Amino acid sequence: MSNEQLLQAISDMMDQKLDEQLEQKLDCVLDNKLQPLYTRLDKVDKRLNKIDERLDKVDERLDKIDEQLDKVDERLDKIDERLDKVDERLDKVDERLDDFYLEFKCFEKDITKSVHKLQDEMETVIEILKINELVPH
């Protein structure tokens, strides 16, 4: 082997050894620099997990509230239907009251006429009785 080849082999070995040491040093430096970041990321991850748990609980509660609101909505629909029926019945009662009022007014008018007629007839009878001197003047 020639000197040149020997020097090349030594240079290659030194390059390889230097690359290994440099890589080890970089790994060590990066680990030292990144460790606080990893620690903070772990803390953030724990906090996010807690937040996720709390959000799951909130989601469960919202689901329960949603179920309850669905039940309320069903009941309100039933009440609305019943109120519609009551409204229809009230409309019918209102119509019947209007009819009754009209009939009552007609009846009142007829009664008033009859009373006037009876009064006139009564006055006539009294006059006849007076003429026949059956009652005092």
Side-chain angles (χ1 to χ4, degrees):
M1 192 181 259
S2 70
N3 281 342
E4 226 176 87
Q5 288 176 339
L6 187 58
L7 280 174
Q8 184 63 39
I10 292 173
S11 176
D12 287 344
M13 284 174 44
M14 285 179 71
D15 280 346
Q16 185 179 1
K17 193 72 168 166
L18 190 60
D19 283 345
E20 287 174 7
Q21 286 180 354
L22 185 59
E23 192 172 316
Q24 286 176 354
K25 282 281 190 192
L26 276 173
D27 284 346
C28 185
V29 167
L30 279 175
D31 282 346
N32 288 337
K33 294 286 183 182
L34 291 176
Q35 191 57 42
L37 184 61
Y38 288 140
T39 304
R40 287 186 69 194
L41 284 173
D42 285 343
K43 288 179 183 178
V44 167
D45 193 39
K46 287 177 186 176
R47 288 178 67 192
L48 285 173
N49 285 337
K50 287 180 183 178
I51 289 171
D52 194 35
E53 288 174 13
R54 289 175 63 193
L55 284 173
D56 285 343
K57 289 178 184 178
V58 167
D59 197 30
E60 287 175 22
R61 289 177 66 190
L62 285 173
D63 286 343
K64 288 179 184 178
I65 289 171
D66 194 35
E67 288 175 18
Q68 289 176 344
L69 285 174
D70 286 343
K71 290 177 184 178
V72 167
D73 195 35
E74 287 175 21
R75 290 181 69 187
L76 285 173
D77 286 343
K78 288 179 183 178
I79 290 171
D80 194 37
E81 288 174 16
R82 289 176 63 190
L83 283 173
D84 286 343
K85 289 178 183 178
V86 166
D87 194 37
E88 288 175 16
R89 290 178 66 189
L90 280 173
D91 286 344
K92 288 180 183 178
V93 166
D94 192 40
E95 286 176 22
R96 289 175 63 189
L97 277 172
D98 287 343
D99 291 346
F100 177 75
Y101 182 74
L102 183 62
E103 287 177 22
F104 178 77
K105 283 297 184 182
C106 289
F107 178 73
E108 182 182 40
K109 185 178 177 184
D110 288 344
I111 292 290
T112 304
K113 280 182 181 180
S114 294
V115 166
H116 283 298
K117 183 179 176 189
L118 279 174
Q119 280 179 335
D120 288 346
E121 289 174 353
M122 187 73 153
E123 286 175 6
T124 304
V125 167
I126 290 174
E127 283 302 314
I128 291 174
L129 286 174
K130 283 181 182 179
I131 292 174
N132 290 327
E133 294 182 6
L134 294 173
V135 279
H137 292 286

mmCIF file of all heavy atoms in Angstrom, residues 98-114:
data_model
loop_
_atom_site.group_PDB
_atom_site.id
_atom_site.type_symbol
_atom_site.label_atom_id
_atom_site.label_comp_id
_atom_site.label_asym_id
_atom_site.label_seq_id
_atom_site.Cartn_x
_atom_site.Cartn_y
_atom_site.Cartn_z
ATOM 1 N N ASP A 98 -123.216 34.784 19.618
ATOM 2 C CA ASP A 98 -123.726 35.796 18.691
ATOM 3 C C ASP A 98 -125.155 35.459 18.263
ATOM 4 O O ASP A 98 -126.041 36.330 18.252
ATOM 5 C CB ASP A 98 -122.833 35.921 17.450
ATOM 6 C CG ASP A 98 -121.511 36.607 17.750
ATOM 7 O OD1 ASP A 98 -121.396 37.265 18.818
ATOM 8 O OD2 ASP A 98 -120.586 36.479 16.914
ATOM 9 N N ASP A 99 -125.382 34.182 17.932
ATOM 10 C CA ASP A 99 -126.727 33.742 17.545
ATOM 11 C C ASP A 99 -127.709 33.922 18.700
ATOM 12 O O ASP A 99 -128.841 34.407 18.506
ATOM 13 C CB ASP A 99 -126.714 32.266 17.115
ATOM 14 C CG ASP A 99 -125.972 32.047 15.810
ATOM 15 O OD1 ASP A 99 -125.704 33.047 15.100
ATOM 16 O OD2 ASP A 99 -125.640 30.880 15.505
ATOM 17 N N PHE A 100 -127.283 33.534 19.896
ATOM 18 C CA PHE A 100 -128.130 33.671 21.065
ATOM 19 C C PHE A 100 -128.463 35.142 21.316
ATOM 20 O O PHE A 100 -129.619 35.491 21.623
ATOM 21 C CB PHE A 100 -127.443 33.066 22.290
ATOM 22 C CG PHE A 100 -128.217 33.232 23.554
ATOM 23 C CD1 PHE A 100 -129.341 32.458 23.810
ATOM 24 C CD2 PHE A 100 -127.838 34.179 24.493
ATOM 25 C CE1 PHE A 100 -130.063 32.626 24.971
ATOM 26 C CE2 PHE A 100 -128.549 34.359 25.653
ATOM 27 C CZ PHE A 100 -129.679 33.573 25.906
ATOM 28 N N TYR A 101 -127.482 36.019 21.188
ATOM 29 C CA TYR A 101 -127.693 37.443 21.400
ATOM 30 C C TYR A 101 -128.727 37.976 20.409
ATOM 31 O O TYR A 101 -129.639 38.723 20.784
ATOM 32 C CB TYR A 101 -126.369 38.195 21.275
ATOM 33 C CG TYR A 101 -126.490 39.673 21.519
ATOM 34 C CD1 TYR A 101 -126.676 40.177 22.800
ATOM 35 C CD2 TYR A 101 -126.449 40.570 20.454
ATOM 36 C CE1 TYR A 101 -126.809 41.529 23.022
ATOM 37 C CE2 TYR A 101 -126.593 41.928 20.674
ATOM 38 C CZ TYR A 101 -126.766 42.406 21.953
ATOM 39 O OH TYR A 101 -126.907 43.749 22.162
ATOM 40 N N LEU A 102 -128.584 37.567 19.175
ATOM 41 C CA LEU A 102 -129.536 37.999 18.150
ATOM 42 C C LEU A 102 -130.942 37.491 18.481
ATOM 43 O O LEU A 102 -131.924 38.257 18.416
ATOM 44 C CB LEU A 102 -129.088 37.505 16.771
ATOM 45 C CG LEU A 102 -129.946 37.940 15.602
ATOM 46 C CD1 LEU A 102 -129.945 39.457 15.450
ATOM 47 C CD2 LEU A 102 -129.448 37.266 14.333
ATOM 48 N N GLU A 103 -131.033 36.219 18.858
ATOM 49 C CA GLU A 103 -132.348 35.662 19.229
ATOM 50 C C GLU A 103 -132.916 36.383 20.453
ATOM 51 O O GLU A 103 -134.115 36.664 20.519
ATOM 52 C CB GLU A 103 -132.219 34.163 19.518
ATOM 53 C CG GLU A 103 -132.016 33.333 18.270
ATOM 54 C CD GLU A 103 -131.829 31.856 18.599
ATOM 55 O OE1 GLU A 103 -132.260 31.418 19.694
ATOM 56 O OE2 GLU A 103 -131.247 31.159 17.766
ATOM 57 N N PHE A 104 -132.036 36.665 21.413
ATOM 58 C CA PHE A 104 -132.489 37.358 22.608
ATOM 59 C C PHE A 104 -133.025 38.744 22.257
ATOM 60 O O PHE A 104 -134.057 39.176 22.786
ATOM 61 C CB PHE A 104 -131.346 37.446 23.620
ATOM 62 C CG PHE A 104 -131.725 38.179 24.864
ATOM 63 C CD1 PHE A 104 -132.508 37.580 25.840
ATOM 64 C CD2 PHE A 104 -131.323 39.491 25.067
ATOM 65 C CE1 PHE A 104 -132.870 38.257 26.986
ATOM 66 C CE2 PHE A 104 -131.687 40.180 26.206
ATOM 67 C CZ PHE A 104 -132.449 39.566 27.174
ATOM 68 N N LYS A 105 -132.336 39.454 21.397
ATOM 69 C CA LYS A 105 -132.798 40.792 20.998
ATOM 70 C C LYS A 105 -134.156 40.705 20.302
ATOM 71 O O LYS A 105 -135.037 41.542 20.534
ATOM 72 C CB LYS A 105 -131.765 41.466 20.075
ATOM 73 C CG LYS A 105 -130.576 42.017 20.800
ATOM 74 C CD LYS A 105 -131.038 43.100 21.740
ATOM 75 C CE LYS A 105 -129.901 43.773 22.434
ATOM 76 N NZ LYS A 105 -130.352 44.782 23.369
ATOM 77 N N CYS A 106 -134.317 39.709 19.462
ATOM 78 C CA CYS A 106 -135.617 39.526 18.792
ATOM 79 C C CYS A 106 -136.703 39.217 19.821
ATOM 80 O O CYS A 106 -137.814 39.763 19.758
ATOM 81 C CB CYS A 106 -135.548 38.399 17.763
ATOM 82 S SG CYS A 106 -134.583 38.806 16.313
ATOM 83 N N PHE A 107 -136.359 38.339 20.774
ATOM 84 C CA PHE A 107 -137.304 37.989 21.824
ATOM 85 C C PHE A 107 -137.659 39.216 22.652
ATOM 86 O O PHE A 107 -138.835 39.455 22.970
ATOM 87 C CB PHE A 107 -136.689 36.887 22.698
ATOM 88 C CG PHE A 107 -137.550 36.473 23.835
ATOM 89 C CD1 PHE A 107 -138.696 35.705 23.628
ATOM 90 C CD2 PHE A 107 -137.237 36.844 25.137
ATOM 91 C CE1 PHE A 107 -139.490 35.320 24.682
ATOM 92 C CE2 PHE A 107 -138.031 36.471 26.190
ATOM 93 C CZ PHE A 107 -139.163 35.701 25.975
ATOM 94 N N GLU A 108 -136.649 40.009 22.987
ATOM 95 C CA GLU A 108 -136.872 41.234 23.762
ATOM 96 C C GLU A 108 -137.813 42.176 23.001
ATOM 97 O O GLU A 108 -138.733 42.757 23.583
ATOM 98 C CB GLU A 108 -135.518 41.900 24.031
ATOM 99 C CG GLU A 108 -135.619 43.165 24.864
ATOM 100 C CD GLU A 108 -134.261 43.811 25.047
ATOM 101 O OE1 GLU A 108 -133.450 43.835 24.095
ATOM 102 O OE2 GLU A 108 -134.017 44.308 26.154
ATOM 103 N N LYS A 109 -137.572 42.304 21.731
ATOM 104 C CA LYS A 109 -138.413 43.180 20.914
ATOM 105 C C LYS A 109 -139.855 42.673 20.893
ATOM 106 O O LYS A 109 -140.805 43.454 21.048
ATOM 107 C CB LYS A 109 -137.843 43.244 19.494
ATOM 108 C CG LYS A 109 -138.557 44.200 18.591
ATOM 109 C CD LYS A 109 -137.897 44.226 17.232
ATOM 110 C CE LYS A 109 -138.633 45.124 16.282
ATOM 111 N NZ LYS A 109 -138.088 45.098 14.942
ATOM 112 N N ASP A 110 -140.000 41.337 20.739
ATOM 113 C CA ASP A 110 -141.343 40.752 20.742
ATOM 114 C C ASP A 110 -142.028 40.953 22.076
ATOM 115 O O ASP A 110 -143.226 41.292 22.134
ATOM 116 C CB ASP A 110 -141.282 39.250 20.422
ATOM 117 C CG ASP A 110 -140.945 38.976 18.970
ATOM 118 O OD1 ASP A 110 -141.047 39.910 18.146
ATOM 119 O OD2 ASP A 110 -140.563 37.823 18.653
ATOM 120 N N ILE A 111 -141.277 40.764 23.177
ATOM 121 C CA ILE A 111 -141.843 40.949 24.516
ATOM 122 C C ILE A 111 -142.263 42.395 24.711
ATOM 123 O O ILE A 111 -143.350 42.684 25.245
ATOM 124 C CB ILE A 111 -140.825 40.519 25.602
ATOM 125 C CG1 ILE A 111 -140.597 39.039 25.572
ATOM 126 C CG2 ILE A 111 -141.238 40.987 26.975
ATOM 127 C CD1 ILE A 111 -141.764 38.222 26.046
ATOM 128 N N THR A 112 -141.418 43.307 24.273
ATOM 129 C CA THR A 112 -141.740 44.730 24.409
ATOM 130 C C THR A 112 -143.020 45.054 23.648
ATOM 131 O O THR A 112 -143.901 45.767 24.167
ATOM 132 C CB THR A 112 -140.560 45.585 23.888
ATOM 133 O OG1 THR A 112 -139.383 45.241 24.580
ATOM 134 C CG2 THR A 112 -140.843 47.060 24.080
ATOM 135 N N LYS A 113 -143.154 44.530 22.454
ATOM 136 C CA LYS A 113 -144.380 44.755 21.672
ATOM 137 C C LYS A 113 -145.586 44.165 22.389
ATOM 138 O O LYS A 113 -146.646 44.798 22.483
ATOM 139 C CB LYS A 113 -144.264 44.100 20.288
ATOM 140 C CG LYS A 113 -143.466 44.896 19.300
ATOM 141 C CD LYS A 113 -143.479 44.159 17.954
ATOM 142 C CE LYS A 113 -142.698 44.856 16.898
ATOM 143 N NZ LYS A 113 -142.731 44.133 15.616
ATOM 144 N N SER A 114 -145.381 42.946 22.919
ATOM 145 C CA SER A 114 -146.497 42.296 23.606
ATOM 146 C C SER A 114 -146.905 43.060 24.850
ATOM 147 O O SER A 114 -148.112 43.222 25.138
ATOM 148 C CB SER A 114 -146.113 40.859 24.003
ATOM 149 O OG SER A 114 -145.913 40.071 22.882
#
